[in-house]
Amino acid sequence: MITFIVRRLIATVFLLIVVSMITFAIFFLIPRLAGQNTYQLATEYVGRNPTRAAVLQLEAKLGLDHPIWVQYGNFLKGIVFGAHYNSGTSITYCPPPCFGYSFRTQQPVWPQMVSDLPVTLSLAIGAAVIWLVGGVAIGVISALKRGTLFDRFSMGIALAGVSLPIFFTGLISLELFSYKWPIFPNVTYVPILTNPALWARNLVLPWVTLAFLYAALYARLTRAGMLETMSEDFIRTARAKGLRERNVVVRHGLRAALTPILTIFGMDLGLLLGGAILTETTFSLPGLGQFTLLAIQNQDFPEIMGVVLLAAFFIVIANMLVDILYAVIDPRVRV
């Protein structure tokens, strides 16, 4: 297991390097291949209504006139060791991990992402617990009670949950439970260390709204997996041995059916940790989702690159953890 983890960690590092190469190429190499010179490229990165002096200053500061492989090496060096930006009159130091300076705020990108990260973590992890527990539980019960009223009703609700977009269910929940019936009147983010009870209370609506979509999908997948698994020969063997039905369902049936669920859970959680844009925008939560949306609207390329690499990091790490958990859930993976 230790050897497997070390191999995955090494593969994770190489994968993140590949992602950084692709991201860097999108913003720096492809425009050059399309015929842009270094001055035109610097014009896109200096912000709106640039002057010639500002463009030339940024061109020298970012080293855009250097060969592309030198620029990429400096980019990686800045992420690991930090970077010094020479504007001619002064030298600015960007501490690691350095993704550059925001065009919008003229501040380093990384501290801004770190300040917004607790909001996204709170939203993603809280909703993930709800949709995983709720979706899997409903899927298992529906499979065991196939064809009953509960099965039809729960799968109908699941179909509605998959079909309805987050911004629709979010606005409906705000209208009903925040404005008409003020059960959750103030949906704002409060740090968990400041007031844990208020932190959880204010995030109930975003959690349920986000979890409703994913729980519906997980319920349908769990039901399909359990129906297939419970008809396998090893389930009949376990029952023939006289095992309790609870042990047959949980220890044998559910464990075998959880493998595909765990796969998509790692992908979904990794994507949400990179920023739940629709949910954060609907509830006006200042997380990485809103940070990304503002970066795109303002064409703030350093912020966009930082978010892309951070999201890729979360996705890769989540997938690595899922692969490790395979051996815990399904012993056949160890072989």
Side-chain angles (χ1 to χ4, degrees):
M1 179 61 70
I2 295 177
T3 304
F4 171 75
I5 294 174
V6 171
R7 287 203 312 265
R8 287 310 307 266
L9 287 174
I10 295 174
T12 298
V13 173
F14 280 106
L15 184 57
L16 289 175
I17 292 176
V18 171
V19 172
S20 69
M21 292 175 62
I22 296 174
T23 306
F24 188 85
I26 290 174
F27 290 105
F28 289 95
L29 178 60
I30 294 179
R32 285 192 175 188
L33 297 177
Q36 286 187 337
N37 56 36
T38 56
Y39 181 87
Q40 293 172 329
L41 188 61
T43 302
E44 296 184 3
Y45 287 82
V46 78
R48 298 179 179 179
N49 302 321
T51 62
R52 178 174 175 80
V55 174
L56 293 176
Q57 182 180 3
L58 185 69
E59 182 182 357
K61 185 176 181 179
L62 298 181
L64 296 177
D65 51 345
H66 295 161
I68 193 67
W69 57 86
V70 175
Q71 294 182 48
Y72 177 69
N74 292 333
F75 175 70
L76 287 183
K77 182 180 177 182
I79 295 177
V80 179
F81 301 106
H84 292 84
Y85 292 101
N86 188 355
S87 60
T89 58
S90 63
I91 298 178
T92 305
Y93 176 67
C94 180
C98 178
F99 296 99
Y101 284 83
S102 168
F103 300 152
R104 178 170 53 92
T105 63
Q106 297 300 316
Q107 298 293 325
V109 172
W110 177 250
Q112 296 181 74
M113 291 195 298
V114 170
S115 66
D116 293 338
L117 187 58
V119 181
T120 301
L121 286 175
S122 301
L123 177 62
I125 295 177
V129 172
I130 295 175
W131 88 57
L132 184 62
V133 175
V136 171
I138 292 174
V140 171
I141 297 174
S142 296
L144 297 178
K145 297 182 179 296
R146 181 180 182 182
T148 62
L149 181 61
F150 177 86
D151 180 30
R152 296 175 181 176
F153 177 76
S154 61
M155 288 302 102
I157 296 296
L159 181 60
V162 173
S163 305
L164 295 175
I166 289 179
F167 60 82
F168 176 79
T169 55
L171 292 176
I172 292 296
S173 62
L174 277 174
E175 173 64 25
L176 293 179
F177 302 108
S178 186
Y179 303 139
K180 187 174 182 179
W181 304 312
I183 302 175
F184 305 102
N186 190 20
V187 183
T188 56
Y189 177 75
V190 176
I192 186 173
L193 297 179
T194 302
N195 191 330
L198 190 59
W199 166 82
R201 182 176 182 270
N202 288 353
L203 288 177
V204 167
L205 277 184
W207 281 344
V208 173
T209 300
L210 184 57
F212 182 55
L213 170 66
Y214 288 92
L217 176 62
Y218 281 55
R220 293 175 65 87
L221 291 176
T222 303
R223 179 182 181 275
M226 284 294 294
L227 288 176
E228 181 180 357
T229 302
M230 295 304 290
S231 62
E232 296 288 344
D233 292 338
F234 68 90
I235 296 295
R236 287 193 289 269
T237 303
R239 284 171 172 162
K241 289 181 178 179
L243 296 180
R244 293 181 179 178
E245 186 66 17
R246 179 180 177 182
N247 290 337
V248 173
V249 173
V250 176
R251 296 187 59 183
H252 297 276
L254 182 58
R255 287 183 67 179
L258 274 183
T259 303
I261 302 298
L262 193 61
T263 302
I264 63 170
F265 178 73
M267 288 291 296
D268 292 337
L269 183 59
L271 287 171
L272 286 180
L273 290 176
I277 296 178
L278 290 178
T279 307
E280 292 178 10
T281 303
T282 302
F283 291 95
S284 299
L285 296 174
L288 285 177
Q290 278 206 345
F291 179 86
T292 306
L293 187 62
L294 289 175
I296 295 172
Q297 291 175 347
N298 294 306
Q299 297 183 1
D300 202 327
F301 296 114
E303 290 186 350
I304 296 173
M305 292 174 65
V307 170
V308 169
L309 291 179
L310 184 63
F313 171 79
F314 282 132
I315 293 172
V316 170
I317 293 300
N319 277 274
M320 184 189 70
L321 294 177
V322 165
D323 289 343
I324 294 173
L325 288 176
Y326 278 160
V328 178
I329 293 179
D330 193 347
R332 294 174 296 180
V333 178
R334 303 173 191 174
V335 180

